[in-house]
Amino acid sequence: MIQSELIRIEADQICVDYNGTVALYDASLHLPSGCICGLVGMNGSGKSTLFKALTGFIRPSRGHISINGQSVAKAQRDQAVAYVPQNEGIDCDFPVSVWDVVMMGRYGSMNLLRIPRESDRVAVRDALGRVDLLELGDRPIASLSGGQRKRAFLARAIAQRASVLLLDEPFNGVDVRTEKLMAELFFQLRTEGRTILISTHDLSHVRDFCDLVVLINKTVLAYGETSKVFTPENLSLAFGGLPPDLLTGNSSSGDS
Amino acid sequence: MVRALLISATVGGVCGLLSCYMTLKGWALMGDAVSHSVLPGVILAYILGLPFSVGAFVFGVGSVATIGFVKQKSRIKEDTVIGLVFTGFFALGLVLVSKTRSNIDLGNILFGNVLGISSADIQQTLLISAVVTGVLLLFRRDLLLFCFDPTHARSIGINTGVLHYLLLSVLSLAAVAGLQTVGIILVVAMLVTPGATAYLLTDRFDRMTWLAICSSILSSIVGVYTSYWTDSSTAGCIVLVQTGLFVVAFLFAPKYGILRQRFNSSLPISMLPK
């Protein structure tokens, strides 16, 4: 289901270390436009480090990253990368409405005073509609449920109109209905040519709707089409030698 | 008296606006630290014949930089570092005062003396207030985003390092202005209480700002009047009115007041307001 051969994310042999501790080495990755890619690895395998490198929060000590053929800094200025965090770091009692939160996705495209224009309002309305939160726009985020809050932050990324979306554990603590809505949304975004990178612990999600999968453990162990890469052998490599049935659950034997 | 009213209302408004960011960012302790740390700066400025606000600003920012440096270079937790640094600066100020032969009235610096404020001080305070208000209005959305979700701010290319130091500089300036009206010890109340009161009353940031500014200005005016007519401490009166307003909000706020919560919990679930 890959739409084109235009390369969105290109990482060549990047290394990242924090004061001498290696977090990622020789990681290489090419992702085309219009795909959903799962990022799978253990805790501490470098998933969030890779995200941070792609958003420009940390600079690789070696190697090169380009997004849409340009530097990370340029991509950041062009609003090309949207990062949707897990909600833990966010103060949910903050006095802002859902609309305000989604509007924050537009700040990067506004002038210095951040005064919304009509086009910004259209983008926000459109994004809210796509995550099915339009009628809750006026509600303070404090009054939302966990799943609604996840959708609000997803809407912010959509309003940003980024071509690369980095989603950190989007399905964590989300009910089945929301999960379905989000999956459908990801398919739409893929059709529009966006590249979605999803970090996840739940391997069944990868099998269900990721075109590509990246297995990492301090480096990129394997990546490519899910059907080829998502093998018990590779998974056991990624998860440090644990038996694959334990990881993939009951359906793994049927798949492979 | 009129001058005192005007100046404390101005400072009240400015500090009220800033207090929203302080409470949302969780920087109350930082406000306390900055306001105490300006003491040696004020004394040194008097010795060198500079405007006191210059010295205060340098030491306010200096204390913040020191806190940041110690925290980054050691394993000590932030609140400990803050407590350690600002008491050190404050102690330095006390020693400087006791060793300086001049007519500095420590009481005025510590507890404010808005009824006896000089024209030069009024000019400085007005200038500072204008700068602080200008910066906060210009960057209000960026600062709001910075308080709410700094990660997102960075990912869309906003320089959060600049915003961090901008907010801290503004805090130092506001502490200097507040020092005029309520003194070093109580200035943190000006920087925290109005924001906290407003936060209990609304879920909207814009409304919160207005409520904080209004409650702060009201407290300043009522406080100065009360202190004038009862011949009691001005700083004490202003802050006492602020605290009084907070207690009212704490008890009676429509959504987050404790009475409302108690009332709600005694209702059957079907009757709860949405």
Side-chain angles (χ1 to χ4, degrees), chain A residues 57 76 93 95 114 138 156, chain B residues 142 149 154 199 204-205:
Chain A
F57 286 12
Q76 205 176 46
D93 279 331
R114 319 285 180 209
D138 282 336
R156 182 173 71 180
Chain B
D142 288 38
D149 190 352
R154 270 179 75 182
Y199 184 51
R204 282 305 173 77
F205 184 72

Side-chain angles (χ1 to χ4, degrees), chain A residues 131-158:
Chain A
V131 297
D132 201 18
L133 279 180
L134 206 47
E135 63 275 34
L136 299 185
D138 282 336
R139 291 265 289 272
I141 53 156
S143 69
L144 297 188
S145 71
Q148 288 169 334
R149 215 169 280 148
K150 282 233 140 138
R151 271 144 65 194
F153 284 99
L154 194 56
R156 182 173 71 180
I158 294 172

Side-chain angles (χ1 to χ4, degrees), chain A residues 57 76 79 81 83 90-91 93-97 101 104-105 107-108 113-114 138 140-141 153 156 160, chain B residues 24 138-139 141-142 144-145 147-149 151-152 154-158 199 202-205 208 255-256:
Chain A
F57 286 12
Q76 205 176 46
Q79 308 299 309
V81 183
Y83 172 65
I90 283 159
D91 172 14
D93 279 331
F94 212 86
V96 286
S97 69
V101 170
M104 285 170 183
Y107 278 15
L113 289 175
R114 319 285 180 209
D138 282 336
I141 53 156
F153 284 99
R156 182 173 71 180
Q160 192 183 325
Chain B
L24 291 177
L138 203 59
F139 292 101
R141 288 181 192 279
D142 288 38
L144 179 66
L145 177 57
C147 294
F148 175 59
D149 190 352
T151 315
H152 173 69
R154 270 179 75 182
S155 80
I156 59 171
I158 291 175
Y199 184 51
T202 178
D203 277 323
R204 282 305 173 77
F205 184 72
M208 178 176 166
K255 199 165 158 196
Y256 298 114

Side-chain angles (χ1 to χ4, degrees), chain B residues 3-26:
Chain B
R3 290 204 307 187
L5 266 179
L6 283 177
I7 211 75
S8 21
T10 313
V11 172
V14 171
C15 289
L17 176 60
L18 183 61
S19 71
C20 294
Y21 296 96
M22 292 296 120
T23 43
L24 291 177
K25 189 78 193 157

Side-chain angles (χ1 to χ4, degrees), chain B residues 19-215:
Chain B
S19 71
C20 294
Y21 296 96
M22 292 296 120
T23 43
L24 291 177
K25 189 78 193 157
W27 273 5
L29 197 55
M30 199 64 114
D32 208 17
V34 169
S35 54
H36 279 79
S37 304
V38 300
L39 182 62
V42 174
I43 312 295
L44 282 177
Y46 270 110
I47 295 173
L48 299 173
L50 294 165
F52 76 93
S53 53
V54 174
F57 180 69
V58 169
F59 272 79
V61 173
S63 72
V64 168
T66 315
I67 289 167
F69 181 76
V70 176
K71 191 188 138 200
Q72 208 170 35
K73 298 287 173 193
S74 73
R75 51 183 295 195
I76 304 170
K77 292 200 175 71
E78 187 174 30
D79 58 341
T80 312
V81 178
I82 293 177
L84 193 147
V85 169
F86 89 73
T87 46
F89 274 96
F90 192 69
L92 174 67
L94 287 183
V95 173
L96 279 176
V97 173
S98 64
K99 287 315 243 179
T100 312
R101 236 168 268 125
S102 71
N103 51 358
I104 299 173
D105 186 348
L106 187 62
N108 281 356
I109 301 172
L110 293 186
F111 304 110
N113 179 23
V114 71
L115 290 169
I117 193 168
S118 72
S119 306
D121 288 351
I122 287 183
Q123 277 172 12
Q124 279 184 46
T125 310
L126 288 180
L127 184 68
I128 292 172
S129 303
V131 171
V132 173
T133 314
V135 169
L136 287 179
L137 287 182
L138 203 59
F139 292 101
R140 72 197 170 106
R141 288 181 192 279
D142 288 38
L143 287 169
L144 179 66
L145 177 57
F146 170 62
C147 294
F148 175 59
D149 190 352
T151 315
H152 173 69
R154 270 179 75 182
S155 80
I156 59 171
I158 291 175
N159 191 334
T160 48
V162 168
L163 286 182
H164 185 92
Y165 281 99
L166 190 72
L167 195 55
L168 284 170
S169 313
V170 168
L171 169 63
S172 301
L173 284 174
V176 178
L179 189 157
Q180 280 296 309
T181 44
V182 296
I184 281 176
I185 307 281
L186 286 177
V187 83
V188 67
M190 306 277 286
L191 293 169
V192 171
T193 315
T197 308
Y199 184 51
L200 288 179
L201 294 172
T202 178
D203 277 323
R204 282 305 173 77
F205 184 72
D206 289 348
R207 252 173 256 166
M208 178 176 166
T209 340
W210 283 115
L211 283 168
I213 293 172
C214 293
S215 83

